[in-house]
């Protein structure tokens, strides 16, 4: 999250400098506008997939699309002098600037940035269960006592479909997950973690997997 906030601050400063210096790079503006538009389409597609619990298999695919849209759109706001393009890029840039300044004196806006980044955040770690299934370690969120475990299944070759979410474990600092057994009616995992909680290390995790198939 800290890196994300720093990135936003840097982008907003660059955009402000471009506005104040009244820079004019029409060819560059055209390229950045196209990048912003096509990455927006990519984000819309990813968002539709997320509704159906689907993600692209690449660990950083969604993250790269999100960052590409963010970077190109904020810079486009400072670069363009066209009213329509300014409105398009301002829909993202202006709220970012407002919440960014507000976060200096109030902690609540940080939740906005967290919610903005969370859907596009890559998993902390990803481990193979078998040739068709994986288990991902993801940030559990503000209210979670530990990290969340997502069991996914490869579908349509390039997609991972979410089959099970485990939020009931308070284990933190997970660095390895070993599959002991994975069947239709039973699953056993050994979770290796940082040892900062009361759980044994490794911790034997037996999720209810009735929704996996």
């Amino acid at each position: 999250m800290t890196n994300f906030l720093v990135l936003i601050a840097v982008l907003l400063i660059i955009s402000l400098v471009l506005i104040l210096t009244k820079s004019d790079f029409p060819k560059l503006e055209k390229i950045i506008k196209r990048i912003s538009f096509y990455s927006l389409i990519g984000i819309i597609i990813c968002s539709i997939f997320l509704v159906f619990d689907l993600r692209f298999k690449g660990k950083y695919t969604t993250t790269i699309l999100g960052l590409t849209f963010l970077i190109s759109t904020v810079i486009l706001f400072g670069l363009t002098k066209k009213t329509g393009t300014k409105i398009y890029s301002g829909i993202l840039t202006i709220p970012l600037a407002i919440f960014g300044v507000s976060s200096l004196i109030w902690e609540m806006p940080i939740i906005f940035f967290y919610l903005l980044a969370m859907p596009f955040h890559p998993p902390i770690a990803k481990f193979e269960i078998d040739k068709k299934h994986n288990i991902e370690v993801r940030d559990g969120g503000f209210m979670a006592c530990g990290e969340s475990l997502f069991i996914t299944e490869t579908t349509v070759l390039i997609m991972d479909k979410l089959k099970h979410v485990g939020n009931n474990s308070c284990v933190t600092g997970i660095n390895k997950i070993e599959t002991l057994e994975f069947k239709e009616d039973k699953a056993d995992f050994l979770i290796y973690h940082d040892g900062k909680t009361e759980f044994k290390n490794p911790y034997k995790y037996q999720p209810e997997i009735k929704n996996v198939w």
Side-chain angles (χ1 to χ4, degrees), residues 184-197:
E184 184 174 351
D185 58 346
K186 186 178 181 182
D188 287 343
F189 302 99
L190 278 183
I191 299 178
Y192 296 82
H193 54 93
D194 57 15
K196 293 182 179 179
T197 57

Side-chain angles (χ1 to χ4, degrees), residues 16-144:
L16 179 61
V17 170
L18 290 172
I19 292 173
L20 295 177
T21 57
K22 299 180 179 179
S23 302
D24 188 18
F25 302 101
K27 290 184 178 180
L28 178 61
E29 178 185 333
K30 187 176 181 180
I31 293 172
I32 293 178
K33 185 177 180 180
R34 285 181 177 176
I35 293 173
S36 174
F37 177 72
Y38 288 122
S39 59
L40 173 61
I41 292 177
I43 287 176
I44 292 173
I45 292 172
C46 287
S47 299
I48 293 173
F49 284 151
L50 286 174
V51 172
F52 298 96
D53 293 328
L54 289 167
R55 287 178 179 267
F56 285 107
K57 281 189 67 65
K59 183 177 178 180
Y60 297 102
T61 303
T62 307
T63 304
I64 291 172
L65 276 173
L67 288 177
T68 300
F69 174 67
L70 176 65
I71 293 170
S72 59
T73 304
V74 174
I75 292 178
L76 182 63
F77 181 79
L79 197 59
T80 188
K81 294 179 176 61
K82 299 176 182 177
T83 303
T85 306
K86 184 72 78 174
I87 292 173
Y88 159 76
S89 55
I91 292 174
L92 174 67
T93 308
I94 293 174
L96 283 179
I98 293 173
F99 281 100
V101 173
S102 300
S103 65
L104 296 176
I105 55 176
W106 190 30
E107 293 184 358
M108 287 300 293
I110 295 177
I111 298 177
F112 166 79
F113 292 115
Y114 180 83
L115 295 176
L116 181 68
M118 193 169 183
F120 303 99
H121 201 280
I124 299 170
K126 187 174 182 177
F127 305 96
E128 184 180 279
I129 297 174
D130 55 33
K131 291 183 178 179
K132 198 173 181 181
H133 298 89
N134 295 287
I135 184 166
E136 298 179 356
V137 182
R138 290 186 173 272
D139 187 348
F142 283 120
M143 304 301 293

